[in-house]
Amino acid sequence: MVVHNFGGLVPVWQADLGTSARTPDCTVLSIFSGTIFMNALLIYPRFPETFWSLKYALEFLPAKATIPPLGLLTIAAILPDTWTKRLVDMNVRQLTDADLAWADIAFIGAMSIQAKSMEDAIRRCRDANIRTCAGGVVYATPRDDLSTVDHIFLGEAEETLPEFLDDLAAGKTRAVYRNERFPDLSMSPVPKWDLIDFSNYLTMPLQVTRGCPHDCDFCHVTILNGRRPRSKNIYKVLSEIESLYEVGWRGPIMFVDDNFTGRRSLAKRILAAIVQWQTEHAYPFVFLSQASVEVASDPELLALLQQAGFIQLFLGIETTVPASLLECNKQQNLRCDLTEMVRALHEHSIDVLGGFIVGFDADPPTIFDDLAMFVEKTGIPTAMVGVLAAPPGTRLYNRMAAEGRLTGESDGDSIANLSGMNVVPVMGWDRLLAGYKELLTRLYEPKPYYRRVMRFLSSYKLNPWLPRRLPTNTQVHTFLRIVWMLGVKDHERLSFWQFLFRMLLKNPELFPLGIATIVGGYHYRLISQRFVASAQLERLTSGRSI
């Protein structure tokens, strides 16, 4: 999950983890000394229906979206205190004419997959004669279709936004603001949580580190954020966790880092501090993040993750084919036993959300069956399998362009999404799409999926550090909706009831986890079924073939 500037994440940079914060959160604000008063509208565009949106899972829940836009909430905290601010998350509510009539200036940021909604929002702002500022990963490369804004912000907002504010006060603003270095995260304020209704979201985002030490061929993280992971200091990390505690949040917190354990020694010190904070506050939170597979090879790190209350990690497993891992420069995955890695994480109470890719040049004809068997054997309930795609600026993109194998630009999501697939495969589109459809069906049709969740639960160890709490009224009502939707209305209700009784018989202590897992599986099933039923080859094969 990579977003920066005005999008979902704002960067975090290097600081001495052994010292307290040297720069208070108000430092960025003091840079702006003007006296302009403005109504600032912060707009987060809508996500399309994808694997990541969890649209159908949200139907069971009171929340309207998975996570609020951390980038815009941080932008709001950087803007002057004298300004009035309003956040419109279009995944929660519509952008209204009243919002536009109220605003003097708009800040819009997004990921590439949100580009269409972003374009619509920009057009409406321009039609309303609102000064419009835009940034985020969607601007990682030039875009003609989104060039109608007054100010484009390239890079990270901790440096570019204060510069813009000074220019605005002086009446000499520029069209493009770009930072040439990675800023120190001591400049980044605590997000402005008062702009959101917490009941609209499943998870709250924070960021500890940015950047990744690895250099995978298909990934643009290192292009955007560098190969040297940078971090907030311990005091700042704890102060941001405390800020969510003080406003009353008690749900999950996701560290939206590129690679939370990119520097293990640093991660261990942060985790040790979180363990102490959790102990002092009776463990009000559980945590999620993303990491690389080496995390499972370090027993001390695994123990700290478990004790801190981490319950899920997204891991880029990619493939079980060594030649394909070499092809994409995923060297770190060649140095571990992937099956053992999953087992170790499950034993430390951490659910593995696995990222996989098909369509590498070195993939054998058996790749689809190989990946299905690996996922089934390891009991990974959530397997995010996408087709190889080349984001602009990556080595893969440049190599595919040189070989004449690009079909266009990817929208950043190639999981059951034709618009994300832009690399002509060696195996040919017919074989790739047929195998991919078979794989998605095998992974997410109810019977095999429920079997896989049972295998996951049998290998998963309950976290001894997390307190056992009685279900809330909201959780009880959610469970009743799940029973109604999956146990009564769904045509696969028999599989649901078989799973439910088997789980109660074999793993009753993991009942909440099992229910939460199958709700996600319901969403992935519907997205997969839609793709399998509607995917057409013409759009893809209209590009170059080999």
Side-chain angles (χ1 to χ4, degrees), residues 80-116:
D81 284 336
T82 54
W83 289 22
T84 305
K85 300 142 192 176
R86 179 185 297 181
L87 173 69
V88 175
D89 181 350
M90 295 174 67
N91 301 284
V92 170
R93 74 170 180 89
Q94 293 183 349
L95 175 65
T96 67
D97 291 340
D99 292 321
L100 298 171
W102 170 87
D104 300 310
I105 187 170
F107 295 86
I108 307 174
M111 294 189 287
S112 299
I113 197 169
Q114 296 166 280
K116 185 180 184 303

Side-chain angles (χ1 to χ4, degrees), residues 151-154 160 163-164 167 173-179:
H151 310 286
I152 294 176
F153 291 76
L154 305 175
T160 55
E163 185 179 0
F164 165 74
D167 287 351
T173 55
R174 306 193 307 271
V176 178
Y177 286 83
R178 182 196 306 269
N179 61 280

Side-chain angles (χ1 to χ4, degrees), residues 44-47 52-55 57-59 61-69 89-93 197-204 249:
Y44 195 50
R46 187 181 304 106
F47 280 95
W52 300 101
S53 71
L54 289 177
K55 174 184 182 296
L58 289 169
E59 293 178 355
L61 306 167
K64 297 178 181 178
T66 55
I67 195 166
D89 181 350
M90 295 174 67
N91 301 284
V92 170
R93 74 170 180 89
D197 180 344
F198 286 88
S199 67
N200 286 327
Y201 299 98
L202 291 179
T203 305
M204 284 298 115
W249 178 253

Side-chain angles (χ1 to χ4, degrees), residues 154-166:
L154 305 175
E156 300 169 10
E158 282 87 349
E159 289 193 348
T160 55
L161 186 56
E163 185 179 0
F164 165 74
L165 294 173
D166 284 339

Side-chain angles (χ1 to χ4, degrees), residues 425-454:
V426 164
M427 70 176 69
W429 283 120
D430 288 347
R431 178 67 189 112
L432 176 60
L433 265 294
Y436 185 46
K437 292 180 190 180
E438 292 172 5
L439 177 58
L440 289 178
T441 299
R442 181 168 170 179
L443 291 178
Y444 287 109
E445 281 303 295
K447 288 182 180 179
Y449 179 73
Y450 285 134
R451 283 197 300 268
R452 190 162 82 251
V453 175
M454 283 303 304

Side-chain angles (χ1 to χ4, degrees), residues 227-241:
R227 288 194 62 185
R228 185 183 183 190
R230 299 158 291 168
S231 176
K232 297 177 180 177
N233 59 50
I234 290 175
Y235 174 85
K236 195 161 187 59
V237 173
L238 295 182
S239 70
E240 293 193 8
I241 294 173

Side-chain angles (χ1 to χ4, degrees), residues 502-519:
R502 193 176 299 121
M503 179 174 59
L504 287 171
L505 181 64
K506 295 185 176 181
N507 306 101
E509 74 284 0
L510 297 177
F511 185 82
L513 175 62
I515 292 298
T517 302
I518 64 169
V519 167

